[in-house]
Every structure is written in structure tokens, then in C-alpha cells.
Amino acid sequence: MAVALSLLEREGVSGFTTRTLAREATTSTPAVYELFGDKTGVVRELFFEGFGLLRGCLDNLIDSDDPRADLVRLLEIYRSFIKDNPVLAQVMFSRPFSDFEPSESEVQAGSSVRVFIVEHVRRCTDTGAWRGDATDIAHVLVALVQGLAAAENAKRLGTTQSSVDRRWSLALDAVLDGLAT
Amino acid sequence: MAVALSLLEREGVSGFTTRTLAREATTSTPAVYELFGDKTGVVRELFFEGFGLLRGCLDNLIDSDDPRADLVRLLEIYRSFIKDNPVLAQVMFSRPFSDFEPSESEVQAGSSVRVFIVEHVRRCTDTGAWRGDATDIAHVLVALVQGLAAAENAKRLGTTQSSVDRRWSLALDAVLDGLAT
DNA sequence: CGAGCTTCGTGACAACGTCACGATAACCTT
DNA sequence: AAGGTTATCGTGACGTTGTCACGAAGCTCG
């Protein structure tokens, strides 16, 4: 898995082949097939691994007594995870390998991450009059962050760092202000 | 191109091969290569075609005297385009074909669409105290819509139609309220 | 009617996902 | 410690895909 992660991030989706993976792991392709069944199986494991790593990043968050500021920092961690692991994030949230489509139960892989986010949203909704249910808000925030991060990675969000950052904070401020009545 | 569009939407990314494309167009693969150079060339044309189609959908929008309501309807058209052409939207906004990465100038393909959106945002910012520049707001809105649509297509936004719709309108209402100070 | 250029079909090549087959290594039972 | 069962792995092969060389066919223009 370590070799797979490094190969994926180094060579991208198109360079990620069973043969090179086997070679870099100093073994042969059938060994890969024995362990993972499919190439899709390798991708699936990367998918899970990605959510584990993301969860690890989020654990670095230390809560303060300002729930909203904590939520903003949480979303910034989410953003930097996607920025630091662009290919892995694609595997998690997009379908770069056209024959890996996570089943409904596998989508639950992110449940630990989702719970973490919902909890931090709930800290906000508890201390004030926020609009909507905490789960709904979490979905909205995650979709927004992923949309922004996808645009940023595709260099579609702006040409200079400052314009990109400005749009990120505009988006986050606006949505949180709009949510917090 | 018509055959390519239909093949793409029918067979998905993994079924989209030069051989089947040539067969369905009742020709041979070198003919495809003569016209498009690469398989990437075909994908690139689909990319442009997609923005043309999206622009055509947006043209159905008839402006009223309520700029904000118009903007909401614009974003709903954007959403239904992505929902009606999921694979094409992936080609436009994601990288399902791992060796097609639009160059910076090709990203400008969406400029007509972008201009259209910025104009409708500006109608709002002109008639009221909105936060931020119209271009920034347009970027934020597009990112939000694409994030929500990607989540919806991946069945990640909710299990029932009503929860999905509820989250869509929560997101749009919140961000527009937050923007419109 | 014929020269030059564009377009297309046949066939081939390399790389990929996948697997059958046999060989090896590991483990458990006695 | 020995033998047998199972899990693991390497060699080689097959079908499919992107790609292209080569030659044939058609069109344009004199």
C-alpha cells in the first residue's frame, strides 16, 4: 500500500499500472492479483486509505471555545488535505479509474470523517440559531469545499494565489454567515 | 461528434474506445485519428461541445425583474445540465480520461458560460449591497454548484430525493443570503 | 485526363488487465 | 521432525486498447 500510494501520487492516474506497481514493490503482477483480486481492488484500498489519512489530518484539530472558528479551521484542513494529495483526493471523490465505482456501503468509508464534521457543525448549531439540520449543513459544507478544491486543483479558481485565497474565504464566510441566520 | 456524444453518454468512460467509436460511425480507426489526431483529441472536442451545449441550455433563461431569482434559476439550469449529462459533465469538470488535461487556454472554453454567469451575478451586485466582486462571486457559485452536483451524481448528497433537494436549496439560500450581506 | 494532396482501410506493434499453470514458501498436525 | 495442506508467487500467455506505417482510394486543379 505504501508503494501504491507513492506511485499513485508520483505518476498520476495514467502511470498507475499493475505492472509498475508490482515492479516497484519488487514482486510480480500475480502477487498483486493474489492480494487485491483486481486492479480495482488496489484502487478500492487506496480509497479507504485516503479516508484514513484524511481522518488522521483532522485529528490534529484542537478545539477552542469558538465553534465557528474551529469549523473554519476544520474546513481549511480539509482543503489542504486535498491540495497536498491531489491524486488521492481524485480517487476518493472523483472516478479517475473508470471501473472503480464504490458501492453504497463503501461510500460509508468516509463515515468517520463525516461524523467528525457533523459533530463540529453541531457545536455551532447548538450555540446559536443556525438554519437547517447539522447533517444537512455538513453535506453542504463538504460539497462546497470539494467543489472549491476541485476547481483549485484544476487551476480553475484563479490565476494568482491571492485571488484563489480570496475566493476561498469569500465562499466560507458567505456560507457560514448565511447559515448562521 | 454526434456519435461520440451518444457513445460517451451510453457506454460511459470505460466503454468509450476509438474502435467502437469508429465502428458506430461506420468507419475505421485511422479515420478517427486523421480527424482528431489523438483519442485525447476526441475528448478535447467533447469538452468544447459540452460547454456549447451548456451555453445553449443557459440561453433558455428568461430574465425577470428579480435578479436574485434569476440567478437561482440559472444555477438550477446548471444543476440539471450536469444531472442530464453526467458523463459529459465529468469530461468537462473532472478528468475521467487520465491523459486529457485541458491547457490553460482550453480552460477558457467555458468563458462564454462564465461571462453569462458573471453578468447575472452583476445584476445582483448592482442592485444592492453584495459582498465581494462579481467575478469572485461567480467563481464561488460555480464551485458550489459543481461540488453539489458531483456529490449528487455520486449519490453522496443523500439517499432520498427530498433530502437531496433540501440540501441543494439550503446551500443556495445560505450562500446567497451570506453574499447579499 | 493525370499529378498532388487528402482521406481512409488493412494489418501490425507495444502496453495494459487478467489469468492458467506450475513452483515455492509457510503453516499445521502428528 | 516429517509430511501434507494451503497460501503465495513467477513465467508465460491471451484479448483488448491506443497508435501508426503502408498502400489504396478519392478529390482538386491544371
Side-chain angles (χ1 to χ4, degrees):
Chain A
M1 287 306 297
V3 173
L5 271 172
S6 117
L7 176 64
L8 177 70
E9 212 66 52
R10 179 161 38 85
E11 298 288 338
V13 171
S14 63
F16 189 79
T17 130
T18 54
R19 281 173 165 82
T20 54
L21 173 59
R23 180 162 4 101
E24 295 210 2
T26 56
T27 178
S28 67
T29 40
V32 176
Y33 279 82
E34 181 68 34
L35 281 175
F36 300 95
D38 249 356
K39 180 180 182 181
T40 305
V42 187
V43 177
R44 194 190 323 276
E45 289 305 316
L46 286 170
F47 178 84
F48 293 138
E49 194 89 357
F51 282 102
L53 286 176
L54 173 54
R55 180 56 213 262
C57 291
L58 292 180
D59 278 335
N60 289 334
L61 184 69
I62 301 165
D63 288 339
S64 71
D65 54 355
D66 181 347
R68 174 169 163 163
D70 290 344
L71 187 54
V72 169
R73 290 193 301 131
L74 188 161
L75 297 177
E76 280 166 357
I77 294 178
Y78 207 112
R79 170 192 181 186
S80 51
F81 173 83
I82 297 178
K83 201 174 178 181
D84 293 341
N85 308 79
V87 191
L88 188 56
Q90 263 182 277
V91 172
M92 292 162 64
F93 305 120
S94 184
R95 311 281 143 77
F97 295 97
S98 50
D99 40 4
F100 166 63
E101 184 124 12
S103 73
E104 197 162 335
S105 65
E106 286 162 355
V107 171
Q108 296 287 342
S111 69
S112 149
V113 170
R114 189 165 9 227
V115 166
F116 190 89
I117 297 177
V118 172
E119 276 170 6
H120 280 77
V121 170
R122 201 179 307 279
R123 286 180 64 215
C124 294
T125 58
D126 281 351
T127 73
W130 280 50
R131 176 195 322 189
D133 156 74
T135 305
D136 288 348
I137 295 179
H139 273 93
V140 168
L141 293 178
V142 168
L144 174 63
V145 170
Q146 281 175 17
L148 287 165
E152 179 175 14
N153 276 345
K155 306 198 194 314
R156 218 187 308 128
L157 193 60
T159 52
T160 70
Q161 184 64 45
S162 70
S163 66
V164 172
D165 288 343
R166 176 162 31 88
R167 284 158 190 170
W168 265 97
S169 44
L170 174 63
L172 262 37
D173 287 347
V175 88
L176 291 180
D177 284 353
L179 249 15
T181 308
Chain B
M1 286 307 297
V3 173
L5 271 172
S6 114
L7 176 64
L8 178 69
E9 212 65 54
R10 179 159 40 84
E11 298 289 337
V13 171
S14 63
F16 190 78
T17 132
T18 54
R19 281 174 166 82
T20 54
L21 174 59
R23 182 161 3 104
E24 294 209 1
T26 56
T27 178
S28 67
T29 40
V32 175
Y33 278 82
E34 181 68 35
L35 281 174
F36 299 95
D38 249 357
K39 179 180 180 181
T40 305
V42 187
V43 177
R44 193 188 323 276
E45 288 307 315
L46 285 169
F47 178 84
F48 292 139
E49 192 89 359
F51 282 102
L53 285 176
L54 173 55
R55 181 57 212 261
C57 291
L58 292 180
D59 279 335
N60 288 334
L61 184 68
I62 301 165
D63 287 341
S64 71
D65 54 355
D66 180 348
R68 172 168 165 163
D70 290 345
L71 187 55
V72 169
R73 287 194 300 132
L74 188 162
L75 297 176
E76 280 165 359
I77 293 178
Y78 207 110
R79 171 191 180 185
S80 49
F81 173 83
I82 297 179
K83 202 173 176 180
D84 293 342
N85 308 77
V87 190
L88 187 57
Q90 263 183 278
V91 172
M92 293 163 65
F93 305 120
S94 185
R95 312 279 143 79
F97 294 98
S98 49
D99 40 5
F100 166 64
E101 185 125 8
S103 74
E104 198 162 333
S105 66
E106 287 162 355
V107 171
Q108 297 287 340
S111 69
S112 149
V113 170
R114 190 165 9 226
V115 166
F116 190 89
I117 298 177
V118 172
E119 276 171 5
H120 280 78
V121 171
R122 202 179 306 280
R123 287 180 64 217
C124 294
T125 58
D126 281 350
T127 73
W130 281 50
R131 174 195 324 190
D133 158 75
T135 305
D136 288 349
I137 294 179
H139 273 92
V140 168
L141 293 178
V142 168
L144 174 63
V145 170
Q146 280 174 19
L148 287 166
E152 179 175 14
N153 277 344
K155 304 196 194 317
R156 220 187 308 127
L157 193 60
T159 51
T160 70
Q161 184 65 43
S162 69
S163 65
V164 172
D165 289 342
R166 176 162 31 90
R167 284 158 189 171
W168 265 97
S169 44
L170 174 63
L172 261 39
D173 288 346
V175 87
L176 290 180
D177 285 352
L179 249 15
T181 307

